[in-house]
Structure formats: structure tokens, C-alpha cells
Amino acid sequence: MSARKTERRTQQSAESRRRILEAAAEIAAERGYEGTSIALVTQRSGLPASSLYWHFGSKDELLAEVIEHSYREWAAKIPAWEPPADGAGDRRERLRSILRQAGRAMVDRPEFMRLGLMLMLERRAVEPAARARFLALRQEVLKAMGEWWTAALPPGACAARPALPSQLARLTMAAADGLYAANGTDVDPADIDGLHELLALALDGAAAAVERQESGEG
């Protein structure tokens, strides 16, 4: 087989995979995990079931890949959880920037959150691969957040309360989850920036209060 034919087949395979992922993401957003079927995905993508099974093996693996793909697209649009340079002011501004941009990107690519949160709250005898994938991605983000807070806090605060960075990371994620859920109900999308700015102020204020407490100032 010529190199040109091989390249063309590779491109066609990648395009088929993309179409299946996009179709599955749309259907999962509309119908959830249970309501997403192979028949619906093939109908919307215009590709045969054999193509779906070739790329993903099963519906569960397909939805796990939908979560992964949607998450990676979202993560590429936001600043990395890299430690702030120095100072409380820099910490606050960096936190505000990350949260605000993450919130904006979530409005555009919410598939992994919508499907993942639904799966996270379910309990099944056999855990779906899609749920396991979402939980693994959350652990990835929590780890990055915890490292960010460890670098952003004074060494004394972490020494006195070793669990503080992890606690702040979990609080950050829980609050972001809540804002995402609220955005689908009663929050004006135009106010998302303002809410994330308030969240950054609250988190930084909580960290500063602990710092004062541990230093004996308050």
C-alpha cells in the first residue's frame, strides 16, 4: 500500500472517530448515559455500528472517550494550575483568572461535566468505564489544585496544617461544581464571571484567615 493511501485511510479513520464522538456527546447531553444507545449514535453520525465497535469496542468505552475528549478540549482552553509567582495579591489574581476562564470554557464544552456528574452520583454493581474515567480525571485536577495551593501558601501554614492544601483544593472543586450546576438552572450566564471572581476572593480570604490564625495574628 502506498504512503498516500495509508495517510488517506488514517485521515478517514480519524474523521470517523471524531464524528462518532461528537454524535455520542450530543446524545449523552440530551439523554444521559442510559438513554445513549448504539443505534442513536450510528443514526446521528451516519456511520455503521461496525465502525463504532472498531474504534471503541462498546457503548461504555465510547462514553468514557466522550468524557476524556470533552475534558481535554476544556482543559486546553484554561490556564494551567501553575503555582503563583509570589505574594497574596498575585495568588488572588491568578486564582481569579483560572476560575473565570474555566467557568467560561465550561459553558462551551460541558459534556464531560454533565455526563460525569450524573455518573458520579450513581451506584452500580459494575462501575461503568465512563464513571471511572471521570473520577480519574477529577483526581488529576485535584492533584494539580493541591500542588497549586501548596506552592501558594506560606510554608508555615502547610506545616501547621498539612491537610490545608488538599482541603482548599476540594473546596475549590466543590464550589466550581456548584456554580456549574447552578448555571443550568437559575443563574444568568452573563453573571458567571462575577460569581467566579467572588469565589476567588472567598477562597483567598479563607486561606489568608488560616495564615493569620497559624501566625498568631487572629
Side-chain angles (χ1 to χ4, degrees), residues 3 6 12 26 39 41 63 68 72 92 97 108 113 175 184 212:
T6 299
Q12 290 172 343
E26 291 173 2
V41 175
L63 292 180
E68 179 89 27
R72 298 300 174 192
R92 186 180 303 119
S97 176
D108 296 330
M113 274 293 285
R212 291 194 298 270

Side-chain angles (χ1 to χ4, degrees), residues 26-125:
E26 291 173 2
I27 295 166
E30 298 165 4
R31 299 169 177 260
Y33 182 89
E34 296 296 345
T36 303
S37 68
I38 299 298
L40 286 171
V41 175
T42 57
Q43 180 181 12
R44 189 165 302 190
S45 67
L47 294 165
S50 58
S51 181
L52 188 153
Y53 288 119
W54 169 261
H55 287 287
F56 302 102
S58 68
K59 174 186 123 171
D60 191 27
E61 287 297 333
L62 167 59
L63 292 180
E65 286 301 312
V66 165
I67 288 174
E68 179 89 27
H69 180 71
S70 173
Y71 167 77
R72 298 300 174 192
E73 286 196 333
W74 169 77
K77 295 180 180 180
I78 67 172
W81 281 93
E82 296 175 349
D86 52 46
D90 182 76
R91 179 180 72 192
R92 186 180 303 119
E93 289 305 314
R94 182 63 177 166
L95 186 59
R96 177 186 289 132
S97 176
I98 293 173
L99 292 174
R100 185 171 59 238
Q101 292 185 60
R104 288 175 181 173
M106 193 66 72
V107 173
D108 296 330
R109 300 297 303 179
E111 291 92 345
F112 79 93
M113 274 293 285
R114 182 182 292 114
L115 181 57
L117 288 177
M118 285 190 292
L119 286 167
M120 189 174 68
L121 296 174
E122 294 181 352
R123 291 291 184 270
R124 299 168 184 249

